[in-house]
Each structure stands twice: as structure tokens, then as C-alpha cells.
């Protein structure tokens, strides 16, 4: 089934305008969510807002938003005042400059959307995507939508375009705030570490090789509980503290273990592939 567009927009650079449709790049349904229930009777719980001063339940019609300027002191705003400050939602994606994609650190990436051509925009859309592929450049742009001003990066994905919502500079912490390792790396250690890295290196990232193991266990438990199986929860494993080991010995042991595991790789891969299939698919195979 084709993905449904979330909204429409228009890319502009110079005198060129490209009408596009905005599509979600990820599936929110991929995550599992639970409802809060009353343990006594299994009924759904509802959320209420209670005044910290008098304990009364406050309806939404009596709520205002406030910004705390000092302990217990707030500047309040009505919805009308906040709406007047919102960015006008022009749905315009205004390209500011083109930059090499590798110069944008992934720490700035927030949410990804796919862009497809809207009616009448097929030719300029294809031309823009081809130009960015040919130059190896991506476009930094401003996107005004839903009352906000977003910083985005447009980049080609094959013959299509992706729009990466970016964090602003003041939203990303300085990495220098994190302490660095104050230790000199010895040449022998580096040689062994490089061998370990190269031993398990792949030509490219393949997300299909990895699955959410916790989600798979939860889904399996849901299916068993829904089928009436009486489940006794296992005791949680106690986390063990880090073990101090000799670095050179650990590197050598890791290389030896990876080497022996590679020889057993084929049958293990088939077993992993078998376990990675959904429960319903395994039932069909056994039928």
C-alpha cells in the first residue's frame, strides 16, 4: 500500500519553485505502547490536572500557560497571544545554501521525512535531485509549518529527496563538556584494536540485520498471555559491575573469539534468521 502524504509544501531556490508532498519516513506503529489500567477491575484510567494550591480538578477551559521567571513567579500567556507569535505556516521550504552532506554532523539530525513531487512539480523535482547527486551537495533550508520555523536539510536518496529536520545550534551540547580519555595509546594496542575492527567490518550498514530483541520478547509474552498461558515472571538479573582486565589480553581474546565464531557463522546465521521471523510466520511454516 502506498504511503499517504502528511502535507504539501514547496521548495524554493532562486526563482525555481518545486511543489512537493511530505511523507513520513518512519512508522510510529513500530513501537509498543501500553495503556494505564486500574489493577482492581482492569478499567482504563483518565488523566486529570489538579491545582497544587487547593486540590481542585482544573478543566482545560480554565488553564493558561506560564513561564517561570523565578521560584514561584510566572509570566502567563493566553492561547491567542501565543498564536500571534507563531511563524506563519507558509509550508515553504526555502533553500538558504548548499553544503557537502558530510559536513553536517549526525548529532544535528532529529526527524526524517520523505519528499515526493506534487502535481506539476515532476520536472523541477527530478532536476533538483539530479543536481544534488551530481554535485554531492545537500541543501540547508528553512521550513515554516505548524506555527514553527524549522531548520532542515534536503538530501538526495536515489532519485528521490529526503528532508532531515535538524536541531538548532543552541539545542546541541558542546562535546567538550564531556571529559576525554587522558591516556596515550600504545602502537601495539592500536594494532590489535585495528585488527579487531577490521575483522567485523562490513561494506555498508544493513538495518535489516538487526531487530529489536526487547520488543520481540514483549510481543511473544503478549501472545502467550492472550492465549491464556499462565506466565511466571523470571527474577531480573542483577547487573554486574565492570571487570578490570588487562587491555592487551582482552584484545587478543576478542580476536581469537571472533575468529572461531566466523568458522561457525553459517549455521548460526540460519538459526538467527529462523528466530527473527514473527511467531505467526513460524506457525505457517510448520502447518
Amino acid at each position: 500500500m502506498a504511503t499517504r502524504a502528511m502535507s504539501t509544501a514547496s521548495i524554493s531556490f532562486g526563482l525555481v519553485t518545486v511543489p512537493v508532498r511530505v511523507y513520513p519516513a518512519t512508522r510510529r506503529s513500530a513501537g509498543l505502547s501500553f495503556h494505564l489500567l486500574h489493577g482492581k477491575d482492569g478499567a482504563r484510567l483518565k488523566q486529570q490536572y489538579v491545582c497544587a494550591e487547593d486540590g481542585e480538578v482544573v478543566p482545560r477551559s480554565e488553564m493558561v500557560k506560564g513561564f517561570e521567571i523565578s521560584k514561584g513567579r510566572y509570566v502567563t500567556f493566553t492561547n491567542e497571544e501565543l498564536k500571534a507569535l507563531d511563524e506563519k505556516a507558509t509550508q515553504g521550504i526555502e533553500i538558504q545554501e548548499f553544503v557537502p552532506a558530510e559536513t553536517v554532523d549526525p548529532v544535528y539530525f532529529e526527524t526524517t521525512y520523505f519528499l515526493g513531487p506534487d502535481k506539476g512539480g515532476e520536472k523541477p523535482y527530478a532536476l533538483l535531485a539530479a543536481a544534488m547527486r551530481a554535485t554531492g551537495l545537500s541543501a540547508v533550508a528553512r521550513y515554516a509549518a505548524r506555527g514553527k520555523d524549522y531548520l532542515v536539510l534536503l538530501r538526495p536518496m536515489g532519485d528521490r529527496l529526503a528532508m532531515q529536520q535538524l536541531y538548532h545550534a543552541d539545542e546541541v551540547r558542546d562535546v567538550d563538556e564531556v571529559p576525554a580519555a587522558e591516556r596515550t595509546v600504545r602502537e601495539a594496542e592500536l594494532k590489535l584494536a585495528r585488527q579487531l575492527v577490521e575483522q567485523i567490518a562490513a561494506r555498508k550498514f544493513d538495518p535489516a540485520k538487526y531487530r529489536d530483541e526487547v520488543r520481540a520478547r514483549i510481543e511473544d509474552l503478549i501472545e502467550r498471555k492472550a492465549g491464556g498461558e499462565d506466565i511466571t515472571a523470571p527474577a531480573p538479573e542483577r547487573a554486574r559491575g565492570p571487570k578490570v582486565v588487562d587491555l592487551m589480553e582482552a584484545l587478543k581474546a576478542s580476536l581469537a573469539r571472533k575468529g572461531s565464531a566466523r568458522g561457525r557463522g553459517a549455521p548460526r546465521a540460519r538459526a538467527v534468521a529462523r528466530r527473527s521471523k514473527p511467531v505467526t510466520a513460524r506457525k505457517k511454516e510448520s502447518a
Side-chain angles (χ1 to χ4, degrees), residues 169-182:
D170 60 352
E171 296 177 290
V172 177
R173 296 182 183 275
D174 190 338
V175 70
D176 289 337
E177 297 177 15
V178 179
E182 297 180 1

Side-chain angles (χ1 to χ4, degrees), residues 54 111 118 161:
D54 54 27
T111 308
D118 203 355
L161 293 175

Side-chain angles (χ1 to χ4, degrees), residues 113-159:
Y113 301 93
F114 293 147
L115 301 180
D118 203 355
K119 187 176 181 180
E122 291 84 356
K123 186 173 182 179
Y125 176 96
L127 183 61
L128 176 60
M132 284 199 284
R133 285 198 308 272
T135 58
L137 299 177
S138 295
V140 178
R142 301 178 70 117
Y143 178 36
R146 298 187 295 276
K148 294 183 179 180
D149 180 27
Y150 297 96
L151 180 66
V152 298
L153 182 76
L154 306 184
R155 54 190 178 90
M157 291 186 67
D159 55 357

Side-chain angles (χ1 to χ4, degrees), residues 5-285:
M6 301 167 48
S7 61
T8 59
S10 59
I11 303 171
S12 62
F13 66 106
L15 299 177
V16 179
T17 300
V18 186
V20 295
R21 290 181 177 271
V22 182
Y23 298 85
T26 56
R27 296 186 181 93
R28 292 189 179 276
S29 59
L32 295 174
S33 60
F34 294 88
H35 296 290
L36 290 176
L37 309 177
H38 190 183
K40 182 171 65 175
D41 53 23
R44 285 279 300 273
L45 301 179
K46 63 179 182 179
Q47 188 180 55
Q48 291 182 319
Y49 291 90
V50 179
C51 177
E53 186 71 25
D54 54 27
E56 291 185 8
V57 176
V58 181
R60 289 190 177 275
S61 59
E62 296 181 12
M63 295 180 186
V64 294
K65 292 183 178 180
F67 184 85
E68 189 173 30
I69 54 175
S70 61
K71 187 66 175 179
R73 290 188 60 210
Y74 298 88
V75 175
T76 60
F77 297 88
T78 65
N79 289 334
E80 290 71 23
E81 288 174 323
L82 293 175
K83 285 181 180 178
L85 299 176
D86 285 347
E87 183 78 16
K88 186 178 179 182
T90 61
Q91 300 302 115
I93 304 172
E94 299 181 7
I95 293 177
Q96 306 295 304
E97 60 182 351
F98 290 91
V99 300
E102 63 271 15
T103 64
V104 183
D105 194 294
V107 73
Y108 287 94
F109 291 172
E110 185 176 5
T111 308
T112 305
Y113 301 93
F114 293 147
L115 301 180
D118 203 355
K119 187 176 181 180
E122 291 84 356
K123 186 173 182 179
Y125 176 96
L127 183 61
L128 176 60
M132 284 199 284
R133 285 198 308 272
T135 58
L137 299 177
S138 295
V140 178
R142 301 178 70 117
Y143 178 36
R146 298 187 295 276
K148 294 183 179 180
D149 180 27
Y150 297 96
L151 180 66
V152 298
L153 182 76
L154 306 184
R155 54 190 178 90
M157 291 186 67
D159 55 357
R160 294 174 175 82
L161 293 175
M163 180 173 70
Q164 194 85 45
Q165 184 178 323
L166 304 177
Y167 289 107
H168 285 85
D170 60 352
E171 296 177 290
V172 177
R173 296 182 183 275
D174 190 338
V175 70
D176 289 337
E177 297 177 15
V178 179
E182 297 180 1
R183 185 181 185 278
T184 303
V185 176
R186 293 186 297 175
E187 188 63 33
E189 295 171 340
L190 178 59
K191 182 179 179 180
L192 286 176
R194 287 189 58 175
Q195 288 177 1
L196 181 58
V197 169
E198 292 166 356
Q199 194 176 62
I200 57 175
R203 295 179 64 86
K204 65 177 182 178
F205 170 58
D206 180 10
K209 290 168 55 178
Y210 306 93
R211 69 168 188 164
D212 188 336
E213 298 291 345
V214 173
R215 173 185 166 153
R217 291 198 292 269
I218 295 174
E219 287 180 330
D220 180 61
L221 187 60
I222 290 172
E223 187 170 336
R224 290 162 60 191
K225 278 180 170 282
E229 186 176 341
D230 187 17
I231 305 295
T232 300
E237 294 184 6
R238 180 173 296 179
R240 298 178 181 178
K243 183 180 178 181
V244 179
V245 296
D246 181 84
L247 180 58
M248 289 292 287
E249 292 302 319
L251 288 170
K252 291 176 182 177
S254 297
L255 283 168
R257 186 176 60 180
K258 290 297 180 182
S260 60
R262 180 165 294 181
R264 305 191 302 268
R268 175 174 171 78
R270 287 194 293 269
V272 171
R274 171 76 177 173
R275 291 199 304 271
S276 298
K277 291 183 179 180
V279 175
T280 52
R282 298 202 297 268
K283 289 180 178 178
K284 288 181 181 179
E285 287 181 356

